[in-house]
Amino acid sequence: MTKIIKLNLFYLFSLLFLFSSKPAAAMAETPVIKAGTAKITGRITSPNGSNHDNAFINITVPHPISGEYAKYKALVDQSGKFSIDVDVETDISLIGLYPSLNPEQSLVVKLTNGGVTNINITYNSGFEIENIDVKPDMNKNDMIRGFRLMGKMIDYRSGRTPELLHEKSTAYFLNYVKTILSERLAILDNDTLISKDLKDLLSKDFRLFLYKAHVFDYEGQMKLNYSNTNADQSKKPEIQKIDRSYYRFLSDFQLNDPQYLNCFTFLEVQKIILQNEILGLPVIGESDIPSWLAKVKVILADLVGFNNGAYYDILAANAYGRQLNEEVRPLSEKQKENILNYWKKGEIAKILFRKNQEVVELDKFKSPAVVNDVSSVPDNKVIETIVSKHKGKAVLIDLWATWCTPCLNAMQQFRTAKNDFRDKDVAFVYLTNGSSPRKLWEEKIKGIGDEHYYLTATQWDYIMEHFEFEYIPSYLLYNKQGTLIKKISPFPGNEQLKAMINALL
């Protein structure tokens, strides 16, 4: 089974989101949907100022309406200063800030729509944070300890013997998950330094994270449980089929709570709900929004526990976001008309149209996705067959999966850089296997473009073993003569990868 890279906190909390707050009324403020921008300024101070060379700040901004994690990079100048403007979708936005001097000591910073947040960070000789000065003021314990607490909850193990859950009822499994959740949330309850409001938000987000990772995909989780608890791997477990009623656990989340706009994992859960084949929500397409919502409520209302509320508007916006982000396909004129008819000139419409304009620009350079079949090719000839198809071109082969967040993040980061090669002798090739659900893969590759292969299990295993890859994303770079120049794991960043490719042209 392919391993995913063991993520440091930079990648891990691109999936989870943490929170910052004012000392007095930590998280009492309720976020409101609002299109806009915010500015982040600051200064990095270290014992050796030369460390500012090539230093930068990575920033992740959650966009709960358009349904994506926007990535930004602020360069640090020789004096240690940095400044950047970022798009936001709420009046209060909580973002992840990751200084390159020590990305594992990441921070959470609160932005105000239309405002300026200044953060000065002082490092000691060991590149540990010695002091943080933030304006407007934020609770320092909440900023720094949130990451550590989330890491502790994720890493916690009870020590109990794993149970054969695939043999139990779904009700038993869901109760088992609640037990695991309560054990891990006790880590939050026992912390005396962070604010109560932070605890409440972390509790919401961690629950979303745990259910996203282990509950929504019941069949996949039971297969994993069988693999982890059964010595005889030659047999396949008999897993009971679930129906829509299994998802009644959604009512426990109280998804109409506006604080979910500040939960990073909320975006991922929304994608799962929209794409879940058992729930079977319709694609929004060119349907008018009231008609689409009526169909959605027939499916979801009794599961989430309510028939009206802001949650449904957010879900409709996320449905458009699925097209804009996954397929990188602009809104049609009919879709624009439907958005204006429903939201008028409101904030959700502004956000979707802003995102659509970005996609329009990207779509100008996007190559159509071409699906190729090598299922009949021997395992040891797959790469040779692929490379030989692109004689006279450099070839970058990307091994990825639909479930691999670092893979998708890398593609998103490299999307604009890839456009620089559109008129050059370079072929971009993407390989995945059956761990990526075929239907979801077919949808995602529309937004990736270029050449795609859906390999058999044995083909994939051979490539991973032959090239000694332990995880994905991993890459193979060939020159124009078809010679392997470099094996790459993980994604090295835009500038490095561009330099590697340019060296072959």
Side-chain angles (χ1 to χ4, degrees), residues 12-159:
L12 177 59
F13 293 104
S14 286
L15 302 177
L16 274 176
F17 200 65
L18 305 176
F19 311 92
S20 57
S21 57
K22 290 182 179 179
M27 296 308 301
E29 297 167 285
T30 300
V32 175
I33 297 169
K34 183 178 180 181
T37 60
K39 181 181 285 292
I40 309 168
T41 63
R43 185 168 189 169
I44 301 293
T45 303
S46 62
N48 184 352
S50 64
N51 292 116
H52 297 152
D53 293 340
N54 302 316
F56 57 87
I57 306 291
N58 277 318
I59 297 164
T60 299
V61 183
H63 285 173
I65 305 307
S66 59
E68 65 171 346
Y69 303 110
K71 308 285 186 178
Y72 296 87
K73 185 175 183 178
L75 298 178
V76 176
D77 67 19
Q78 286 297 315
S79 67
K81 293 181 179 180
F82 62 90
S83 178
I84 193 168
D85 294 323
V86 300
D87 289 338
V88 292
E89 297 185 353
T90 48
D91 60 340
I92 303 163
S93 294
L94 303 166
I95 62 101
L97 188 145
Y98 315 90
S100 64
L101 294 184
N102 189 345
E104 292 196 1
Q105 276 201 312
S106 306
L107 302 172
V108 176
V109 181
K110 180 167 64 178
L111 305 183
T112 301
N113 198 317
V116 179
T117 298
N118 184 267
I119 177 166
N120 298 321
I121 306 170
T122 302
Y123 288 92
N124 62 24
S125 58
F127 290 99
E128 300 290 326
I129 293 177
E130 188 174 87
N131 185 59
I132 304 174
D133 179 50
V134 187
K135 290 185 173 56
D137 288 340
M138 300 179 193
N139 184 310
K140 306 300 192 300
N141 280 325
D142 283 4
M143 290 175 65
I144 297 173
R145 290 183 60 78
F147 280 100
R148 299 174 187 172
L149 287 168
M150 294 299 270
K152 285 181 179 179
M153 287 192 289
I154 291 169
D155 292 338
Y156 173 81
R157 298 296 180 270
S158 66

Side-chain angles (χ1 to χ4, degrees), residues 34 37 47 144-145 161 246 261 275 341-342 427 455 479 487:
K34 183 178 180 181
T37 60
I144 297 173
R145 290 183 60 78
T161 302
Y246 169 76
L261 292 169
Q275 297 172 354
N341 285 340
Y342 186 74
L455 303 184
N479 65 14
K487 298 187 298 182

Side-chain angles (χ1 to χ4, degrees), residues 255-257 293 297 306-315 342:
L255 290 169
N256 252 334
D257 187 340
L293 284 174
K297 290 178 181 181
F306 51 85
N307 194 54
N308 293 292
Y311 172 77
Y312 286 111
D313 272 10
I314 296 170
L315 189 66
Y342 186 74

Side-chain angles (χ1 to χ4, degrees), residues 315-474:
L315 189 66
N318 294 161
Y320 287 113
R322 181 182 174 188
Q323 171 184 318
L324 294 168
N325 297 311
E326 301 287 335
E327 299 182 36
V328 194
R329 177 163 58 90
L331 298 169
S332 69
E333 293 304 314
K334 181 63 176 176
Q335 288 177 319
K336 293 177 187 177
E337 180 184 331
N338 290 337
I339 289 170
L340 284 173
N341 285 340
Y342 186 74
W343 283 300
K344 311 302 180 187
K345 295 184 179 179
E347 297 302 318
I348 290 181
K350 292 177 185 177
I351 290 168
L352 290 176
F353 289 143
R354 180 175 67 182
K355 178 61 185 177
N356 183 64
Q357 190 55 45
E358 293 177 15
V359 173
V360 167
E361 294 303 313
L362 287 170
D363 192 58
K364 292 177 182 177
F365 308 110
K366 188 179 69 175
S367 302
V370 178
V371 176
N372 302 278
D373 183 15
V374 289
S375 58
S376 60
V377 175
D379 300 346
N380 63 345
K381 297 293 183 181
V382 169
I383 296 297
E384 178 185 328
T385 300
I386 292 171
V387 174
S388 65
K389 182 183 176 184
H390 302 285
K391 291 179 180 178
K393 290 187 176 183
V395 181
L396 179 69
I397 298 176
D398 182 339
L399 286 89
W400 72 291
T402 57
W403 47 263
C404 170
T405 300
C407 301
L408 301 176
N409 285 343
M411 288 179 189
Q412 183 182 15
Q413 290 177 50
F414 195 62
R415 185 178 286 160
T416 301
K418 192 170 74 167
N419 290 337
D420 296 341
F421 298 100
R422 64 186 180 276
D423 296 324
K424 298 181 180 180
D425 292 330
V426 185
F428 295 97
V429 178
Y430 299 86
L431 311 183
T432 193
N433 69 347
S435 70
S436 296
R438 183 93 191 196
K439 186 176 180 181
L440 181 58
W441 172 74
E442 290 172 348
E443 179 177 289
K444 283 188 177 292
I445 65 175
K446 293 176 184 177
I448 300 169
D450 297 298
E451 304 271 332
H452 292 266
Y453 294 81
Y454 196 86
L455 303 184
T456 67
T458 59
Q459 288 172 335
W460 178 271
D461 290 343
Y462 175 85
I463 292 169
M464 293 296 292
E465 183 175 350
H466 179 75
F467 292 101
E468 300 178 333
F469 289 139
E470 295 186 359
Y471 47 74
I472 54 176
S474 288

